[in-house]
Amino acid sequence: MTTHYDLIQNKIQAAPRRWAITGVAGFIGSNLLETLLRLDQTVVGLDNFSTIDDRNLKQVQKLVGEPRWKNFTFFKGDIRHLDDCQRVCDRADIVLHQAALGSVPRSIEDPLTTHASNIDGFLNMLRTAQLMGIERFIYAASSSTYGDHPGLPKKEEIIGNPLSPYAVTKLVNELYAQVFDRVYQFKATGLRYFNVFGPRQNPEGAYAAVIPKWFGGLLKGNPIDINGDGETSRDFCYIDNVIQANILAACTERPEALGQVYNIAYSESTTLNQLYALICAQLKQRAPNREIPGPRYRDFRAGDVRHSLADIHKARQLLGYEPRFSVKEGLEKAADWYTHNL
């Protein structure tokens, strides 16, 4: 059955546009790049390689082939510098702003750098896009904005107090977007991502996301540390669902859908214990004789919320968003990449 998302993809492939992606070498940015190049779009990307090298870009180049790769222009630069923001936005129709310093623990250890990248850099991109007349500005918001509000599922209009410097920066992004709408009539759309995972997500370092970190550890036969009792739950969202949301938000023709903030998730709760079991099952399926060590439980991590689950009704209603991959289905797809690349 042809979906709304299928129709949008067909439409933009028939009439290519110029897209700018910040953080293009990262996990989400490189997946957006791959999808847009496959749809025969022209893409300009910016990255400073502060958290990763060019390995993701090389993989995309190999996957899409040289003819489509020629539609991509890369600038090494930093969103903290206005001239770099102007370079990537030049002649762009649509900006997908993904560049940021992620990680709650990193923001607690180094709030100044997190602020500079996530607030100063965001404002640089927002102001540049507004002054240059960019048609659509889509930015990566975060579920961390819900903070200490206990209500489930999380609804866009009800948030609590931030629990980390990272959460503060993401809330400030949304506030700036609201002000730019009121003052300059420039509408920026925020996508509150919930625990995104998938191919090309970095498994290395102290701030690695849980799924690639656990896959990488178990593939090496190392025991896995689980924060708390393992009953902490998250709404894990496969990368293809996030790509869909970005493209739908960038291409919507509904005026009321612009300038909004949306939850982007699968809307399913998974505990860390359940996640560990799902990952072990994927590894066993690929190597039945593999010895998998049991998890080790340690203290809860500062700044973490206990449970997170998204209400995605607003994105469904205004954008036509329909996530295609559950946690289990996403893990089945991601496991092949993890197995061959970690």
Side-chain angles (χ1 to χ4, degrees), residues 203-205 212-224 283 290-293 338 341-342:
E204 301 169 359
K213 191 171 186 176
W214 284 7
F215 262 107
L218 291 172
L219 284 168
K220 296 172 184 174
N222 298 329
I224 297 303
L283 293 174
R290 183 191 303 273
E291 289 293 330
I292 298 179
Y338 292 138
N341 289 274
L342 299 186

Side-chain angles (χ1 to χ4, degrees), residues 73-86:
T73 302
F74 175 74
F75 293 124
K76 184 178 180 180
D78 196 310
I79 57 173
R80 291 173 292 181
H81 303 146
L82 267 173
D83 56 342
D84 289 335
C85 298
Q86 291 162 358

Side-chain angles (χ1 to χ4, degrees), residues 42-185:
T42 298
V43 184
V44 180
L46 181 74
D47 208 295
N48 64 359
F49 296 129
S50 64
T51 59
I52 196 168
D53 56 25
D54 64 351
R55 73 188 74 171
N56 287 341
L57 296 181
K58 289 178 177 177
Q59 283 200 7
V60 173
Q61 182 177 10
K62 184 177 180 180
L63 288 167
V64 302
E66 286 304 319
R68 283 174 167 159
W69 184 250
K70 290 179 180 178
N71 292 328
F72 174 55
T73 302
F74 175 74
F75 293 124
K76 184 178 180 180
D78 196 310
I79 57 173
R80 291 173 292 181
H81 303 146
L82 267 173
D83 56 342
D84 289 335
C85 298
Q86 291 162 358
R87 281 202 301 170
V88 75
C89 288
D90 183 37
R91 295 179 290 117
D93 301 303
I94 298 165
V95 170
L96 303 179
H97 179 54
Q98 310 298 314
L101 270 183
S103 169
V104 165
R106 174 164 41 204
S107 76
I108 292 173
E109 292 181 17
D110 186 3
L112 295 179
T113 303
T114 297
H115 178 103
S117 294
N118 297 4
I119 294 181
D120 296 341
F122 176 84
L123 183 56
N124 283 342
M125 282 298 302
L126 189 64
R127 179 63 165 165
T128 299
Q130 176 252 322
L131 289 174
M132 297 182 78
I134 297 297
E135 183 181 337
R136 296 287 168 84
F137 187 94
I138 314 300
Y139 66 94
S142 170
S143 60
S144 66
T145 301
Y146 289 104
D148 64 1
H149 193 279
L152 292 175
K154 305 296 184 184
K155 298 179 182 293
E156 285 90 346
E157 65 275 11
I158 306 173
I159 63 173
N161 298 305
L163 294 175
S164 68
Y166 173 74
V168 170
T169 67
K170 287 303 188 177
L171 175 57
V172 171
N173 288 176
E174 294 186 12
L175 295 174
Y176 263 125
Q178 292 171 19
V179 167
F180 267 61
D181 189 359
R182 295 191 189 103
V183 175
Y184 306 110
Q185 292 75 55

Side-chain angles (χ1 to χ4, degrees), residues 17-28:
R17 304 165 90 177
R18 185 179 179 91
W19 302 65
I21 304 175
T22 64
V24 71
F27 160 50
I28 295 177

